[in-house]
Amino acid sequence: DVKVTQSSRYLVKRTGEKVFLECVQDMDHENMFWYRQDPGLGLRLIYFSYDVKMKEKGDIPEGYSVSREKKERFSLILESASTNQTSMYLCASITGTGGNEQFFGPGTRLTVL
Amino acid sequence: GENVEQHPSTLSVQEGDSAVIKCTYSDSASNYFPWYKQELGKRPQLIIDIRSNVGEKKDQRIAVTLNKTAKHFSLHITETQPEDSAVYFCAAGGGSNYKLTFGKGTLLTVNP
C-alpha cells in the first residue's frame, strides 16, 4: 500500500519565518509534487521533482523553494513566510514507470500570522 | 501551459439521481485525464481515469467520457448516494514529467 506522509497536519508560523514542510513516500517513486489548495482555486502546482536533486517550477513557484536530497523525501521551503501563504499544502508522488496515478499525502494546514 | 476549466463549481442532487461534472482543457498534447474525489478533511484520491486513446470508461456507478476533438471530458455518477458527497477534481496532463493541471473542483452534495 502506497504511503505518502507529511511532517505536520497543522502548523502556525509568524510572518518572516523560514518554514520547512516535509514529505516522505515509501514506494520508491521518482516523481514528487508540491501543491497548494485554496477554496475555489483547486490544486495549484508549486514545484515538482523527477529525480534526486532535480526540480522544476510549477505554476506558482514564487516565494517557495524545494529540496530533494534523497529519493523518498521532498521538502518545500518558504524562505520568508507571508500571510498570503496561509493555505493547505499537499504533497504527491508517482512512479515514473507506467503508472500515472498521483498518490497524495494528508496535507499540512499552514497558518502564517 | 495547460488550462483546465471545470463546471459546475457546486452541484446538489437528490439521492438516486445522476450527477454530471464537465471539464475542458486547452493543450492538445494532454493524453491523461484523471478524476479525484476529496472527502472533507481527507486527501484527494483517484476514482477513475481515461487516456486519450479511449472515448469512454466505466467503473460501476461512475463513468468518464472524453471528446478529444472538442477537448472536453466529463464525469458521470449514476444512482448517487450520500457517501458520494465530496469535492471532485478533474485534471489533464500525462507528459513525460507526469505533471497534472487540475480544475478548480466541484462540490457535490447528495441529499438523502
Side-chain angles (χ1 to χ4, degrees):
Chain A
D1 208 16
V2 176
K3 199 167 185 181
V4 182
T5 58
Q6 294 182 228
S7 49
S8 306
R9 289 302 305 271
Y10 300 94
L11 208 53
V12 179
K13 295 292 182 180
R14 297 212 172 270
T15 302
E17 280 193 78
K18 190 168 186 175
V19 182
F20 293 86
L21 303 181
E22 301 242 303
C23 175
V24 177
Q25 49 92 7
D26 66 356
M27 285 301 291
D28 203 35
H29 285 175
E30 287 83 5
N31 303 273
M32 297 186 74
F33 305 81
W34 273 107
Y35 297 90
R36 65 176 282 176
Q37 182 176 17
D38 301 287
L41 296 179
L43 284 77
R44 294 181 291 165
L45 182 64
I46 304 171
Y47 265 97
F48 63 102
S49 167
Y50 50 89
D51 202 349
V52 175
K53 296 191 187 295
M54 306 302 287
K55 60 186 179 185
E56 280 197 32
K57 293 180 180 179
D59 300 316
I60 52 165
E62 297 78 18
Y64 303 94
S65 62
V66 290
S67 172
R68 192 157 179 213
E69 296 297 319
K70 293 184 178 181
K71 192 175 186 179
E72 66 271 17
R73 189 180 298 270
F74 190 34
S75 301
L76 179 69
I77 304 157
L78 287 65
E79 296 289 343
S80 178
S82 63
T83 54
N84 62 13
Q85 292 178 309
T86 292
S87 186
M88 170 67 81
Y89 290 87
L90 287 161
C91 171
S93 74
I94 181 175
T95 180
T97 52
N100 275 97
E101 178 179 358
Q102 290 196 12
F103 294 90
F104 284 87
T108 296
R109 170 76 63 188
L110 173 67
T111 302
V112 183
L113 301 175
Chain B
E2 177 64 274
N3 182 48
V4 176
E5 300 281 343
Q6 182 172 347
H7 298 280
S9 56
T10 61
L11 180 59
S12 182
V13 300
Q14 289 299 123
E15 183 175 358
D17 287 352
S18 294
V20 180
I21 303 170
K22 299 182 178 182
C23 289
T24 61
Y25 63 99
S26 61
D27 189 350
S28 56
S30 289
N31 59 14
Y32 176 66
F33 308 92
W35 287 87
Y36 284 80
K37 175 183 179 182
Q38 186 178 30
E39 297 176 0
L40 187 64
K42 297 193 175 179
R43 69 191 79 190
Q45 291 197 298
L46 180 73
I47 56 170
I48 195 167
D49 56 13
I50 192 168
R51 295 185 183 275
S52 58
N53 58 348
V54 175
E56 184 173 356
K57 185 177 178 180
K58 192 173 181 181
D59 182 4
Q60 299 183 344
R61 295 187 297 107
I62 60 173
V64 58
T65 59
L66 171 65
N67 183 325
K68 281 173 52 180
T69 304
K71 295 199 187 74
H72 66 70
F73 56 113
S74 301
L75 177 72
H76 305 253
I77 306 174
T78 58
E79 301 171 27
T80 54
Q81 300 166 5
E83 51 265 38
D84 294 329
S85 296
V87 178
Y88 291 81
F89 293 99
C90 64
S96 59
N97 58 20
Y98 298 93
K99 179 183 170 186
L100 291 176
T101 300
F102 284 82
K104 293 181 178 180
T106 296
L107 174 62
L108 173 65
T109 304
V110 180
N111 302 299

